[in-house]
């Protein structure tokens, strides 16, 4: 019945107990009132507290003793114990020194409660932990640094109380929250008053971008400390950002992976430090650190999403404020990598602003933004460090650093003399290797997206920015180009035609695409690449071509060739963003979402891939945050780029066009009116999405997933007809298999690569990589490594086909099946 009493009834009953002078019953009634409030400390509870505080000092001391005697009733429940301690603290507040209890009977319990609090990310404002903190400070004891951190984080919550915010403002030591590697290093380094002032100023970076007033104060601090010293120190801190917490926190079931998330209080300081770097004289290492900060801050954390987009945006703003080649290069590189919408938009704005200032187009600024990284020839540079020569070379998709001694002989490791006498040069070379690797990947992706950009270049400009650029040239010289209508590739130091004749300089250049060329010509260029040993950075000569089918002519305005697939949503979402598609994660809630879309401004079109969430059971079909784990696929359509947006319920259902007042529906564009290049590239993207993120290519899904409901789909996809990319793979394997060391054990038959081992004969599906073995086509589950390699395969005509590497690695393993030692595989043989 106590739980049904109103605060008013407690007030009346308490007044009676006080009038009776029975302090024990006053304590009991006060605890009943507290329990029935369940943490709601306002309204009627304030009247209860006013009565308790109005007691004479002697009665209040007696009441505190009575409450302390009853503390055991709170049991082990943390919230109940906290409420009890809070009640005692609130009753004690206002007693002067002579009136306080000399022994403070629950002081140890209060400190224990605060120690427990130190292991949390935050606390609900109604818990009133700040009352306990205030009591500790009043007793002359500083709060432990981890407790300070929790109070500060809690004060940032939307439902923070004024008392909590006031306490957080009192807590100025330490200046940053402990628990993160970078912050603890900063606290260790920044012990002098000027450094403390620098960190305190960084914590004032609460706006979306720095103001003139903020910059002025920052410059004064930089002048005092010295720009070089600040740069070196801050960069050492940023290098530690993103590491798991040094003080792990208790993660409750509804909380994200807080040990890999940023401390939100420290995140403000990170934003300020990024801005500070933009005020320093530009240096490549600062631009590099800011680029890394952007990527680290956008890395996904379970249950949270991107770690901290605000810090990422601060990194972009800082890069945009730096006038240097290295900063521009980082902006251009990030523009090819970042998929988070708001940060991507900020990058676009920064690059557009730079381009406008220089009188260039966005495409031109991206081309000019690629540094040489010290390369003096195409993909090559020599650095002499004393008697030792360091050779930096681009080999395929990676940069490699090798060494030669004074006699010119190769050595496997960094010579001792270089480590001893040239540590700074060595550090710069290692940094260049990492920078080149990142930029090569970014430029390869940018070039791969140029097919739909309709770009043409004046010949001289193209030579300078592509063919003869020290870095981009390593990619451009492995691609095919059309020069004044003639296709050519780079071989033996010159541009050459299909007949290997040198091609003289021309006027206009564009990137060659196989659409519109005869199959015999495409095959001839494939032979040409193989003859010259050229491995393309992505599929070009071997690029899949998607032509309009009879079924698509019959449907007229949509394609169903990629319908009825089941995709892993988060993998699809990331891959779509990399390929330039916009996609909204489907949540298992009452909401709608547009299809995945790719805008094609050069063609005046918008491509749509219709998808819907799969399932309805939280925790089985969704993540803890409610986003679907899987999607089902439907139609592909094209609309004019300015057509109203379609949308459908996240659960599924019909897509419909959302119309603003005065708008009229816009019909989809007939597929036969879509330019063949556009149709092919869009369908190729979607084939890629299905091929990579389908549950059908997951070897662990033989049981059909939750409830076995995907078993039929898994079987049909994992062993069914080959898609276009798998057909390309089969054609390549026809040429490749005879050259393998295990060629005598391999044959290609239909959809499978057959491999004869000593225990069984195996059939590896060329689309999914799934395996069947004799007898009776038993399923063999082999989970590939995250980065499979295919040793001994020799020449490959293009990079980037992970499934090809998976298939070849499995073939090598199974051809020598008597040497397999992995117990999970042996148990199935």
């Amino acid at each position: 019945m106590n739980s049904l009493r109103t605060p008013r009834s407690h007030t009346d009953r308490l007044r009676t107990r006080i009038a009776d002078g029975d302090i024990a019953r006053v304590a009991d009634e006060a605890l009943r009132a507290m329990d029935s409030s369940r943490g709601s400390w306002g309204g009627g509870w304030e009247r209860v507290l006013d009565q308790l505080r109005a007691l004479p000092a002697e009665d209040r001391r007696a009441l505190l003793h009575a409450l302390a005697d009853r503390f055991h009733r709170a049991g082990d429940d943390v919230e109940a114990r906290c409420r009890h301690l809070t009640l005692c603290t609130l009753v004690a507040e206002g007693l002067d020194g002579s009136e306080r209890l000399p022994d403070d009977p629950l002081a140890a319990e209060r400190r224990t409660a605060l120690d427990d609090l130190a292991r949390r990310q935050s606390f609900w404002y109604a818990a009133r932990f700040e009352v306990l903190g205030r009591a500790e400070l009043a007793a002359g004891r500083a709060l432990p640094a981890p407790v300070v951190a929790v109070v500060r984080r809690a004060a940032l919550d939307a439902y923070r109380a004024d008392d909590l915010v006031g306490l957080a403002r009192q807590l100025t030591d330490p200046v940053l929250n402990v628990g993160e590697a970078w912050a603890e290093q900063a606290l260790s380094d920044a012990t002098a008053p000027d450094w403390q002032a620098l960190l305190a100023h960084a914590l004032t970076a609460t706006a979306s971008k720095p103001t003139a007033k903020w910059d002025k104060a920052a410059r004064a601090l930089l002048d005092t400390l010295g720009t070089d010293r600040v740069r070196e120190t801050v960069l050492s801190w940023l290098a530690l950002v993103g590491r798991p917490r040094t003080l792990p926190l208790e993660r409750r079931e509804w909380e994200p992976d807080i040990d890999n998330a940023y401390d939100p209080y420290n995140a403000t300081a990170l934003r300020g430090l990024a801005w500070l770097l933009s005020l320093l004289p530009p240096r490549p290492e600062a631009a590099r650190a800011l680029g890394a900060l952007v990527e680290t801050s956008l890395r996904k954390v379970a249950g949270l999403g991107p770690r901290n987009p605000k810090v990422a945006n601060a990194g972009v703003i800082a890069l945009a404020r730096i006038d240097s080649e290295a900063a521009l290069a980082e902006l251009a590189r990030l523009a090819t990598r970042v998929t988070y919408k708001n940060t991507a938009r900020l990058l676009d704005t920064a690059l557009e602003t730079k381009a406008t200032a220089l009188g260039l187009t966005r495409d031109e600024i991206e081309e000019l933004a690629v540094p040489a990284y010290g390369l003096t020839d195409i993909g090559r540079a020599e650095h002499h460090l004393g008697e030792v020569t360091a050779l930096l070379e681009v080999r395929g998709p990676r940069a490699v650093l090798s060494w030669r001694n004074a006699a010119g002989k190769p050595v496997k490791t960094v010579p001792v003399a270089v480590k001893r006498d040239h540590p700074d040069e060595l550090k710069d070379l290692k940094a260049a290797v990492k920078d080149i690797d990142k930029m090569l990947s970014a430029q390869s992706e940018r070039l791969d997206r140029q097919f739909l950009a309709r770009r043409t270049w004046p010949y001289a400009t193209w030579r300078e920015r592509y063919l003869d650029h020290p870095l981009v040239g390593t990619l451009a010289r492995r691609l095919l180009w059309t020069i004044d209508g003639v296709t050519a590739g780079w071989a033996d130091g010159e541009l050459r035609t299909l007949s290997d004749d040198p091609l003289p300089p021309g006027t206009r250049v564009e990137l060659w695409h196989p659409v519109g060329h005869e199959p015999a010509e495409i095959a001839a260029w494939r032979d040409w690449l193989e003859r010259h040993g050229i491995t393309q950075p992505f599929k070009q000569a071997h690029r899949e071509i998607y032509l309009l089918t009879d079924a698509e002519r019959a449907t007229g305005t949509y394609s169903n060739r990629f319908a009825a697939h089941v995709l892993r949503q988060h993998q699809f979402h990331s891959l779509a963003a990399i390929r330039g598609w916009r996609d909204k994660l489907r949540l298992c809630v009452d909401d709608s979402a547009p299809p995945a879309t790719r805008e094609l401004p050069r063609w005046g079109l918008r491509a749509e891939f219709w998808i819907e969430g799969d399932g309805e059971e939280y925790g089985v079909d969704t993540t803890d945050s409610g986003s679907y784990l899987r999607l089902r696929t439907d139609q592909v359509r094209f609309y004019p780029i300015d057509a109203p947006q379609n949308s459908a319920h996240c659960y599924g259902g019909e897509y419909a066009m959302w119309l603003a007042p005065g708008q009229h529906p816009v019909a989809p564009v007939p597929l036969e009116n879509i330019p063949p290049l556009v149709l092919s590239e869009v369908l190729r993207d979607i084939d890629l999405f299905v091929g990579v993120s389908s549950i059908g290519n997951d070897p662990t899904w033989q049981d059909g997933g939750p409830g076995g409901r995907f078993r039929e789909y898994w079987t049909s996809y994992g062993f069914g007809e080959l898609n276009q990319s798998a057909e390309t793979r089969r054609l390549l394997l026809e040429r490749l298999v005879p050259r393998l060391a295990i060629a005598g054990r391999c044959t290609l038959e239909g959809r499978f690569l057959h491999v004869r081992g000593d225990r069984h004969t195996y059939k590896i599906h060329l689309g999914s990589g799934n395996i069947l073995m004799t007898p009776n086509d038993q399923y063999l589950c082999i989970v590939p490594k995250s980065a499979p390699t295919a040793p001994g395969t020799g020449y490959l005509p293009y990079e980037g086909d992970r499934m090809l590497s998976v298939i070849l690695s499995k073939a090598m393993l199974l051809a020598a099946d008597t040497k397999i030692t992995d117990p999970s595989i042996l148990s199935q043989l």
Side-chain angles (χ1 to χ4, degrees):
M1 296 295 291
N2 287 344
S3 61
L4 298 178
R5 291 178 181 149
T6 66
R8 184 176 185 86
S9 68
H10 283 300
T11 304
D12 294 340
R13 292 172 66 85
L14 188 61
R15 184 179 298 112
T16 301
R17 304 303 180 218
I18 291 173
D20 293 343
D22 190 338
I23 295 299
R25 299 188 73 180
V26 170
D28 289 336
E29 192 59 40
L31 289 172
R32 290 190 192 99
M34 178 196 69
D35 287 340
S36 66
S37 73
R38 301 299 296 175
S40 177
W41 298 92
W45 168 251
E46 288 293 336
R47 292 192 291 273
V48 171
L49 185 59
D50 287 343
Q51 291 188 75
L52 299 178
R53 282 177 164 171
L55 289 170
E58 183 177 349
D59 288 344
R60 286 173 71 182
R61 286 198 299 271
L63 175 60
L64 289 171
H65 271 298
L67 291 172
D69 291 341
R70 288 158 174 75
F71 183 68
H72 67 278
R73 296 182 184 177
D76 296 328
D77 183 77
V78 174
E79 300 296 340
R81 292 168 70 87
C82 179
R83 285 196 300 273
H84 197 121
L85 290 167
T86 298
L87 173 60
C88 292
T89 304
L90 291 171
V91 168
E93 283 184 342
L95 290 172
D96 61 32
S98 62
E99 295 170 333
R100 286 185 181 279
L101 293 177
D103 54 348
D104 196 1
L106 293 179
E109 287 79 2
R110 185 170 64 237
R111 287 192 290 273
T112 298
L114 289 172
D115 288 341
D116 291 340
L117 173 67
R119 295 193 290 272
R120 294 194 189 180
Q121 166 74 0
S122 183
F123 59 87
W124 180 239
Y125 76 97
R128 298 300 298 272
F129 271 110
E130 78 276 4
V131 174
L132 308 187
R134 211 162 57 219
E136 283 295 286
L137 295 177
R141 289 185 290 269
L143 296 182
V147 176
V148 171
V150 182
V151 171
R152 285 170 171 168
R153 291 193 293 266
L156 295 174
D157 288 346
Y159 295 100
R160 58 190 182 274
D162 290 341
D163 288 349
L164 176 58
V165 173
L167 176 62
R169 287 174 179 164
Q170 285 182 254
L171 303 174
T172 58
D173 184 36
V175 65
L176 297 175
N177 281 353
V178 298
E180 289 184 310
W182 82 265
E184 293 189 359
Q185 185 63 52
L187 291 172
S188 175
D189 293 339
T191 54
D194 290 335
W195 280 102
Q196 291 276 306
L198 184 80
L199 289 175
H201 185 61
L203 282 164
T204 66
T206 54
S208 60
K209 58 184 179 181
T211 63
K213 182 179 178 181
W214 194 94
D215 281 350
K216 181 179 179 181
R219 286 193 174 94
L221 291 165
L222 295 175
D223 290 342
T224 300
L225 291 167
T227 55
D228 289 342
R229 186 179 173 202
V230 170
R231 181 191 299 107
E232 180 181 355
T233 305
V234 171
L235 292 183
S236 71
W237 300 342
L238 296 188
L240 301 174
V241 172
R243 296 191 180 184
R245 287 184 56 83
T246 57
L247 298 176
L249 299 172
E250 292 177 351
R251 181 183 179 187
R252 305 195 177 190
E253 60 180 305
W254 65 83
E255 288 183 320
D257 182 9
I258 48 183
D259 283 341
N260 282 299
Y262 285 0
D263 184 304
Y265 182 83
N266 288 346
T268 301
L270 281 177
R271 177 193 277 175
L273 293 175
W275 294 350
L276 280 170
L277 285 178
S278 69
L279 298 175
L280 301 174
R283 292 283 296 273
E285 57 266 34
R288 186 182 305 126
L290 288 168
L293 180 65
V294 172
E295 292 184 292
T296 302
S297 301
L298 293 179
R299 198 158 293 148
K300 298 287 183 66
V301 171
L304 179 67
R307 274 176 171 151
N308 199 296
K310 290 182 179 180
V311 174
N313 293 348
V316 173
I317 288 170
L319 285 168
R321 299 207 311 165
I322 299 174
D323 185 16
S324 75
E325 180 186 79
L328 182 58
E330 280 298 316
L331 288 171
R333 183 184 69 81
L334 289 170
T336 69
R337 306 289 296 173
V338 168
T339 60
Y340 184 72
K341 186 176 180 180
N342 291 338
T343 307
R345 186 184 298 118
L346 203 60
L347 284 162
D348 287 340
T349 300
L351 287 171
E352 291 286 356
T353 301
K354 295 274 188 184
T356 301
L358 296 172
L360 302 171
T361 66
R362 166 66 185 276
D363 290 329
E364 288 176 315
I365 201 71
E366 288 189 359
E367 292 167 354
L368 293 172
V370 185
Y373 296 110
L375 299 172
T376 54
D377 199 355
I378 305 301
R380 191 176 188 279
E382 287 188 2
H383 298 268
H384 300 284
L385 308 179
E387 295 184 343
V388 176
T389 300
L391 182 61
L392 179 59
E393 293 179 294
V394 175
R395 300 177 186 171
R398 303 293 301 275
V400 177
L401 187 61
S402 58
W403 302 91
R404 293 176 183 170
N405 60 22
K409 294 183 178 179
V411 292
K412 293 183 178 180
T413 58
V414 182
V416 175
V418 172
K419 295 180 180 179
R420 182 187 65 236
D421 301 331
H422 304 277
D424 291 339
E425 293 93 331
L426 177 60
K427 181 180 178 181
D428 288 343
L429 283 171
K430 289 183 176 180
V433 168
K434 293 181 180 179
D435 287 346
I436 289 171
D437 285 349
K438 290 180 180 179
M439 187 57 82
L440 279 171
S441 175
Q443 291 303 308
S444 179
E445 289 169 3
R446 184 178 70 84
L447 281 165
D448 195 14
R449 294 205 293 260
Q450 291 299 307
F451 292 111
L452 287 174
R454 305 182 83 173
R455 288 291 308 282
T456 61
W457 296 266
Y459 183 85
T461 299
W462 170 74
R463 291 264 342 194
E464 177 187 357
R465 298 178 186 174
Y466 286 87
L467 203 64
D468 296 335
H469 188 282
L471 180 68
V472 182
T474 65
L475 303 170
R477 294 188 177 196
R478 295 189 284 140
L479 294 171
L480 302 177
W481 303 87
T482 300
I483 302 165
D484 295 340
V486 178
T487 305
W490 182 269
D492 300 326
E494 292 187 82
L495 283 167
R496 297 182 181 275
T497 64
L498 189 56
S499 59
D500 276 336
D501 295 324
L503 186 68
T507 304
R508 307 298 295 180
V509 182
E510 59 185 323
L511 189 61
W512 181 86
H513 192 284
V515 162
H517 295 271
E518 293 296 326
E521 180 189 356
I522 296 171
W525 276 113
R526 293 177 179 178
D527 291 338
W528 186 92
L529 291 169
E530 184 175 346
R531 187 167 71 250
H532 290 286
I534 297 172
T535 297
Q536 298 200 291
F538 48 81
K539 289 182 183 178
Q540 186 189 26
H542 291 77
R543 203 171 189 84
E544 299 84 5
I545 299 174
Y546 298 79
L547 302 175
L548 202 61
T549 64
D550 290 339
E552 288 161 345
R553 290 188 182 91
T555 56
T557 58
Y558 61 89
S559 169
N560 265 334
R561 73 167 86 181
F562 297 108
H565 286 283
V566 183
L567 311 184
R568 294 178 287 268
Q569 173 170 218
H570 294 81
Q571 190 174 17
F572 163 75
H573 181 74
S574 297
L575 186 58
I578 289 172
R579 295 297 301 170
W581 290 69
R582 289 204 320 268
D583 174 53
K584 180 180 178 181
L585 283 174
R586 265 64 178 168
L587 301 177
C588 189
V589 295
D590 186 12
D591 193 13
S592 61
T597 62
R598 182 173 181 181
E599 293 188 348
L600 307 165
R602 303 293 175 90
W603 305 88
L605 294 170
R606 181 181 76 225
E608 295 188 354
F609 185 25
W610 289 9
I611 51 179
E612 63 182 41
D614 176 82
E616 54 188 27
E617 187 175 348
Y618 262 75
V620 175
D621 298 314
T622 72
T623 63
D624 291 340
S625 60
S627 59
Y628 281 107
L629 291 171
R630 293 168 292 276
L631 299 171
R632 288 190 179 271
T633 66
D634 201 344
Q635 301 175 9
V636 179
R637 293 189 175 209
F638 293 85
Y639 287 86
I641 195 168
D642 56 355
Q645 181 68 65
N646 285 305
S647 63
H649 200 284
C650 292
Y651 291 147
E654 185 177 358
Y655 274 88
M657 193 166 280
W658 187 90
L659 301 174
Q663 280 188 315
H664 300 284
V666 176
V669 179
L671 294 181
E672 62 182 5
N673 293 346
I674 303 299
L677 174 62
V678 174
L679 180 70
S680 184
E681 283 299 297
V682 167
L683 294 182
R684 183 179 184 273
D685 272 356
I686 295 171
D687 196 358
L688 175 68
F689 301 156
V690 172
V692 172
S693 55
S694 170
I695 63 170
N697 60 26
D698 186 337
T700 65
W701 273 61
Q702 182 194 11
D703 61 356
R709 69 177 188 265
F710 300 108
R711 186 177 291 112
E712 182 178 350
Y713 170 76
W714 184 87
T715 301
S716 65
Y717 182 91
F719 300 104
E721 295 298 323
L722 301 182
N723 59 16
Q724 198 73 25
S725 59
E727 285 286 357
T728 300
R729 194 175 297 129
R730 184 181 64 79
L731 292 173
L732 175 59
L733 285 168
E734 286 179 352
R735 302 171 68 106
L736 186 61
V737 166
R739 306 171 191 168
L740 298 177
I742 59 171
R745 290 178 172 264
C746 297
T747 54
L748 273 169
E749 296 181 25
R751 303 188 297 268
F752 296 91
L753 173 63
H754 292 242
V755 181
R756 178 173 51 82
D758 293 322
R759 298 171 183 264
H760 302 277
T761 295
Y762 309 90
K763 294 160 53 177
I764 307 174
H765 191 262
L766 302 181
S768 66
N770 290 335
I771 306 168
L772 299 174
M773 63 180 178
T774 58
N776 305 321
D777 281 348
Q778 295 171 260
Y779 176 65
L780 174 62
C781 178
I782 298 179
V783 180
K785 297 179 181 178
S786 57
T789 58
T793 56
Y795 167 78
L796 293 176
Y798 52 81
E799 297 163 356
D801 188 346
R802 182 181 183 275
M803 185 55 69
L804 176 63
S805 298
V806 167
I807 291 169
L808 290 172
S809 295
K810 289 181 176 181
M812 298 285 185
L813 176 74
L814 297 172
D817 57 1
T818 56
K819 298 180 180 179
I820 294 174
T821 58
D822 186 302
S824 66
I825 300 176
L826 283 175
S827 65
Q828 302 175 72
L829 297 180

